Amino acid sequence: MVDREMSRNLLDVKRTQLRILSLMGAQFNELEKSILGAGTEREMAAIYGQDPLLPFDASLLSNAYGTLNMRKLTGEYTYVHFIPQDEDIKKGTLSIMTTKIDEWNSLLQSQTGGMIRNVIVIATKSPTQSVTDDIISSLSRYSFTWFRYAELYFDITQHSLQPQNVKCLSDAEVGELLKNPGVKPSLLPIIKSSDIFARFHGWKKGDIVRVEDEDFHVPTAVTVSIEYYLVK
């Protein structure tokens, strides 16, 4: 018997994951574009070759995407790894993920000469400290981000209280910003790289981001405030 609620939740998670990648400049094939639109659980099952009458295998959603390095404005690859919702995170899980990354790197190098630079993992629970240490050790050459399924049921960047105009500055833009008197990275307000808003946008430690927000405190006018933050 298929758990319809779990299937709907998984569809929401996949949609949000694709939106996260779109913020990183990713392009999608026509099949995955349909999930961003009006996709249903049955359509999603068909896209990934899954029997719609059986519980959906979340690991089928894992994929690699061409994305944009916002600081260097160069292309790179991001691998998204889904851990099945009923699976505990253990060292065997890390071994499977590492094997998948190696397979994708081999394919990408042969076809494009590129390699994966970023890894996003989606699981039901956060890993234990021991597993986290193993992941950091094994995947030290990658930029690594972790999401729980529940964090992706809703696209937080679309919330009415979140600023809609945000941008990670390129290295050249950072250089121009720091030419202003009194502007130093150490003096900027901080946003943690672990903050869900930072993770949604793919911001990494050391990034400087520009946040433009509308201020409605003045009754007769709407003013725009611009602030810069250091991701730490």
Side-chain angles (χ1 to χ4, degrees), residues 1-12 40-42 44-45 50-58 85-86 124 153:
M1 186 71 179
V2 177
D3 186 331
R4 291 299 178 192
E5 182 177 1
M6 181 177 289
S7 295
R8 283 193 297 271
N9 287 343
L10 194 56
L11 177 58
D12 289 337
T40 65
E41 305 100 280
R42 184 175 291 274
M44 183 171 72
Q50 175 81 17
D51 186 337
L53 299 180
L54 297 175
F56 197 92
D57 181 1
Q85 291 150 297
D86 58 351
T124 300
Y153 290 158

Side-chain angles (χ1 to χ4, degrees), residues 215-230:
D215 186 352
F216 294 93
H217 290 103
V218 181
T220 58
V222 176
T223 59
V224 175
S225 64
I226 297 175
E227 292 191 65
Y228 295 90
Y229 291 82
L230 173 67

Side-chain angles (χ1 to χ4, degrees), residues 20 29 36 54 61-62 95 102-103 129 181 208 223:
I20 289 172
N29 59 39
L36 277 171
L54 297 175
L61 301 179
S62 301
S95 176
D102 289 342
E103 289 174 353
Q129 189 58 52
I208 293 179
T223 59

Side-chain angles (χ1 to χ4, degrees), residues 140-179:
S140 59
R141 63 185 182 277
Y142 304 108
S143 174
F144 181 81
T145 307
W146 194 279
F147 286 99
R148 290 180 293 108
Y149 279 96
E151 292 179 310
L152 301 181
Y153 290 158
F154 175 73
D155 183 353
I156 194 173
T157 65
Q158 300 303 306
H159 193 282
S160 60
L161 296 180
Q162 294 287 359
Q164 297 303 305
N165 296 314
V166 297
K167 183 179 188 295
C168 178
L169 300 187
S170 68
D171 288 345
E173 289 170 325
V174 169
E176 289 299 315
L177 176 66
L178 297 182
K179 290 179 180 178

Side-chain angles (χ1 to χ4, degrees), residues 2-231:
V2 177
D3 186 331
R4 291 299 178 192
E5 182 177 1
M6 181 177 289
S7 295
R8 283 193 297 271
N9 287 343
L10 194 56
L11 177 58
D12 289 337
V13 168
K14 183 61 181 181
R15 279 184 181 140
T16 302
Q17 176 255 297
L18 291 174
R19 291 189 184 114
I20 289 172
L21 270 292
S22 70
L23 294 173
M24 299 169 65
Q27 300 295 317
F28 309 115
N29 59 39
E30 293 302 318
L31 292 178
E32 289 194 320
K33 283 180 182 178
S34 68
I35 292 180
L36 277 171
T40 65
E41 305 100 280
R42 184 175 291 274
E43 288 171 344
M44 183 171 72
I47 287 170
Y48 294 100
Q50 175 81 17
D51 186 337
L53 299 180
L54 297 175
F56 197 92
D57 181 1
S59 64
L60 294 174
L61 301 179
S62 301
N63 203 355
Y65 303 85
T67 51
L68 179 67
N69 183 311
M70 298 300 179
R71 288 176 66 176
K72 300 184 182 301
L73 300 180
T74 55
E76 57 188 16
Y77 288 94
T78 297
Y79 174 66
V80 181
H81 186 81
F82 279 78
I83 297 176
Q85 291 150 297
D86 58 351
E87 183 177 309
D88 291 331
I89 304 166
K90 47 190 180 293
K91 292 189 177 181
T93 307
L94 175 60
S95 176
I96 292 172
M97 182 168 59
T98 303
T99 298
K100 290 290 185 183
I101 293 172
D102 289 342
E103 289 174 353
W104 270 107
N105 272 331
S106 177
L107 178 64
L108 291 171
Q109 281 189 306
S110 65
Q111 292 186 348
T112 69
M115 288 188 65
I116 290 167
R117 300 297 180 192
N118 310 298
V119 176
I120 296 174
V121 177
I122 301 172
T124 300
K125 301 177 182 177
S126 297
T128 63
Q129 189 58 52
S130 173
V131 173
T132 299
D133 292 341
D134 287 339
I135 290 173
I136 292 173
S137 174
S138 301
L139 303 176
S140 59
R141 63 185 182 277
Y142 304 108
S143 174
F144 181 81
T145 307
W146 194 279
F147 286 99
R148 290 180 293 108
Y149 279 96
E151 292 179 310
L152 301 181
Y153 290 158
F154 175 73
D155 183 353
I156 194 173
T157 65
Q158 300 303 306
H159 193 282
S160 60
L161 296 180
Q162 294 287 359
Q164 297 303 305
N165 296 314
V166 297
K167 183 179 188 295
C168 178
L169 300 187
S170 68
D171 288 345
E173 289 170 325
V174 169
E176 289 299 315
L177 176 66
L178 297 182
K179 290 179 180 178
N180 293 299
V183 178
K184 297 180 180 179
S186 60
L187 298 179
L188 295 175
I190 289 171
I191 179 171
K192 290 188 175 182
S193 59
S194 59
D195 185 287
I196 190 168
F197 194 69
R199 286 184 286 140
F200 260 68
H201 284 275
W203 297 338
K204 304 176 180 67
K205 290 182 179 180
D207 286 346
I208 293 179
V209 298
R210 182 182 188 270
V211 177
E212 180 180 314
D213 204 6
E214 293 182 342
D215 186 352
F216 294 93
H217 290 103
V218 181
T220 58
V222 176
T223 59
V224 175
S225 64
I226 297 175
E227 292 191 65
Y228 295 90
Y229 291 82
L230 173 67
V231 182

